[in-house]
Amino acid sequence: MAATLEEVPRRGWILVKALMRFAFMIFNNLVAIPSYVCYVIVLQPLRVLDRKRFWYIEGTMYKWLLGMVASWGWFAGYTVMEWGEDIKAISEDEAMMLVNHQATGDVCTLMMCLQDKGRAVAQLIWLMDHIFKYTNFGIVSLIHGDFFIRQGKSHRDQQLLLLKKHLENNYRSRDRKWIVLFPEGGFLRKRRETSQVYAKKNNLPFLTHVTLPRFGATKIILSVLVARQENGSQAGGDAKELESKSKGLQWIIDTTIAYPKAEPLDIQTWILGYRKPTVTHVHYRIFPVKDVPLETDDLANWLYQRFIEKEDLLSHFYKTGAFPPVKGQKEAVSREMNLSNTWLFLIYSFAVLSACM
């Protein structure tokens, strides 16, 4: 009984802190999101006069909004340790991130990771479940050009056609360069059993820490965004046209998220902060797009192989608490990801001042 009574103040403080954080999140959304929308409306003439500059400004504000979401976890002590290759080196190139999916906290984790990767997060498109369209952040994602995908076999073919059209109409016209995709098509806990049944039927590896990826969206993205090559140069057009054309998608970033004890963070935890401070680990591997097969069967096998390797990476992490070293290195090197409190103060101040105007 005494032990229980001793727990009361601690649990009471956790509850009070969670309520305070929830109130702060509501306030944050009430000042930041309307400000973003108002600026976008006011800047519409600039969109007509100078489309590239308009989307540059919009992307900057989008980065700030994602930085605010990242800060909710940062202030609660939820930090990120990065492993593997340095993706900052390719932040100016077009790239697609293939990420394993365990919980809603994966998105928040990536929002934090990408804050120090140049303008990558400002020029980013997310592929996310359609339910997010109806959240407070839905209007921001719609303006920015994120794609909401509806899950399920009955919707699959239609959704892939819509994705193709969306990328053709919104990706380069809005000066986007990165795209984030969760190829598993759902959370690990929801898809693991069906994935294992499918693997058994098709003589594929039995995976525990990830599920077999779906490749439809990946194929569409590659078919739309990879620059077509003819005789080593971009196909079609004269030299001036070629110079103005995008180089196309150049890199695949295989991104593996690992949580201590395989206990993922969800969005509720990220907002309310009721779990103890924890470090999420993110591992990167970079593959040139030119080495990725585009034919359906070959692409499926390539994706399966990446997720088999993710399984090995995660197995190693859960056994040792660290990812294995990059090929050619004797020891694995990790990098702690930091957010600047000064920068966070400035973007919050800007949002509040904008709301007061």
Side-chain angles (χ1 to χ4, degrees):
M1 187 68 174
T4 304
L5 289 173
E6 288 174 3
E7 284 286 304
V8 171
R10 186 182 70 84
R11 293 185 180 182
W13 168 240
I14 290 174
L15 177 61
V16 170
K17 186 173 68 171
L19 291 172
M20 291 171 62
R21 287 176 58 87
F22 183 74
F24 175 75
M25 183 272 294
I26 295 294
F27 171 76
N28 188 180
N29 284 327
L30 287 176
V31 299
I33 293 176
S35 297
Y36 165 88
V37 174
C38 286
Y39 278 122
V40 168
I41 293 171
V42 169
L43 290 171
Q44 285 303 304
L46 179 62
R47 183 177 181 178
V48 176
L49 297 171
D50 190 340
R51 176 183 55 81
K52 190 165 186 177
R53 190 176 298 275
F54 170 83
W55 288 115
Y56 181 94
I57 295 171
E58 183 279 332
T60 300
M61 293 190 293
Y62 183 81
K63 177 180 179 176
W64 293 348
L65 288 176
L66 267 56
M68 291 176 186
V69 176
S71 74
W72 302 343
W74 175 257
F75 294 145
Y78 305 145
T79 57
V80 173
M81 193 70 73
E82 296 181 308
W83 302 75
E85 298 183 68
D86 182 11
I87 64 171
K88 194 182 294 186
I90 60 168
S91 62
E92 295 300 317
D93 299 334
E94 289 190 28
M96 172 167 60
M97 300 185 80
L98 300 179
V99 192
N100 62 312
H101 208 8
Q102 300 183 57
T104 48
D106 298 342
V107 175
C108 303
T109 296
L110 291 176
M111 288 180 179
M112 182 181 288
C113 290
L114 294 172
Q115 287 299 319
D116 68 344
K117 306 300 185 294
R119 284 194 56 78
V121 70
Q123 297 175 291
L124 183 74
I125 279 184
W126 298 81
L127 266 66
M128 61 184 78
D129 192 279
H130 79 288
I131 196 68
F132 283 99
K133 185 189 294 186
Y134 309 106
T135 66
N136 57 315
F137 211 75
I139 183 64
V140 175
S141 292
L142 282 169
I143 292 171
H144 184 72
D146 297 328
F147 182 76
F148 300 96
I149 192 163
R150 189 181 291 272
Q151 304 291 345
K153 273 187 179 180
S154 59
H155 304 289
R156 193 169 299 163
D157 291 340
Q158 181 196 29
Q159 290 299 297
L160 292 177
L161 289 173
L162 290 173
L163 172 60
K164 183 176 185 293
K165 185 177 180 181
H166 181 84
L167 291 174
E168 290 171 343
N169 293 338
N170 297 290
Y171 186 80
R172 295 211 167 89
S173 67
R174 301 188 185 197
D175 198 27
R176 303 302 175 226
K177 287 193 173 182
W178 280 35
I179 188 163
V180 177
L181 174 65
F182 298 95
E184 292 163 295
F187 298 141
L188 174 63
R189 69 179 187 277
K190 292 183 177 180
R191 289 211 62 243
R192 179 159 39 202
E193 187 176 343
T194 54
S195 174
Q196 290 171 346
V197 170
Y198 179 85
K200 187 175 181 180
K201 284 182 180 178
N202 293 274
N203 197 29
L204 293 167
F206 187 89
L207 305 177
T208 303
H209 305 304
V210 294
T211 64
L212 290 170
R214 296 166 178 169
F215 55 86
T218 306
K219 182 174 174 59
I220 291 294
I221 292 167
L222 292 174
S223 67
V224 174
L225 301 184
V226 173
R228 292 289 174 261
Q229 304 287 320
E230 285 186 4
N231 300 322
S233 62
Q234 285 185 314
D238 57 25
K240 189 173 181 180
E241 284 179 319
L242 292 178
E243 188 177 345
S244 65
K245 283 184 180 179
S246 166
K247 293 180 181 178
L249 196 69
Q250 294 174 269
W251 308 101
I252 302 290
I253 304 171
D254 181 60
T255 307
T256 305
I257 299 176
Y259 297 93
K261 299 180 182 178
E263 297 175 354
L265 294 172
D266 54 29
I267 187 66
Q268 300 96 304
T269 307
W270 195 267
I271 293 171
L272 301 178
Y274 49 77
R275 266 177 62 172
K276 291 181 180 179
T278 187
V279 180
T280 302
H281 298 258
V282 182
H283 184 276
Y284 306 112
R285 295 184 300 163
I286 301 173
F287 296 90
V289 162
K290 62 182 178 63
D291 295 339
V292 179
L294 299 181
E295 295 300 321
T296 301
D297 290 342
D298 293 337
L299 176 60
N301 290 331
W302 187 89
L303 271 177
Y304 287 158
Q305 187 58 39
R306 299 293 77 78
F307 274 75
I308 291 167
E309 291 163 1
K310 281 180 183 289
E311 176 80 8
D312 294 338
L313 285 169
L314 289 167
S315 295
H316 188 281
F317 177 85
Y318 293 135
K319 287 177 184 175
T320 66
F323 283 109
V326 176
K327 192 174 181 180
Q329 294 181 354
K330 291 184 178 180
E331 293 185 6
V333 179
S334 61
R335 305 172 296 278
E336 186 177 2
M337 197 278 155
N338 288 299
L339 289 179
S340 167
N341 290 326
T342 302
W343 176 73
L344 291 174
F345 173 77
L346 290 174
I347 61 173
Y348 273 111
S349 299
F350 179 80
V352 172
L353 290 172
S354 297
C356 293
M357 289 170 59

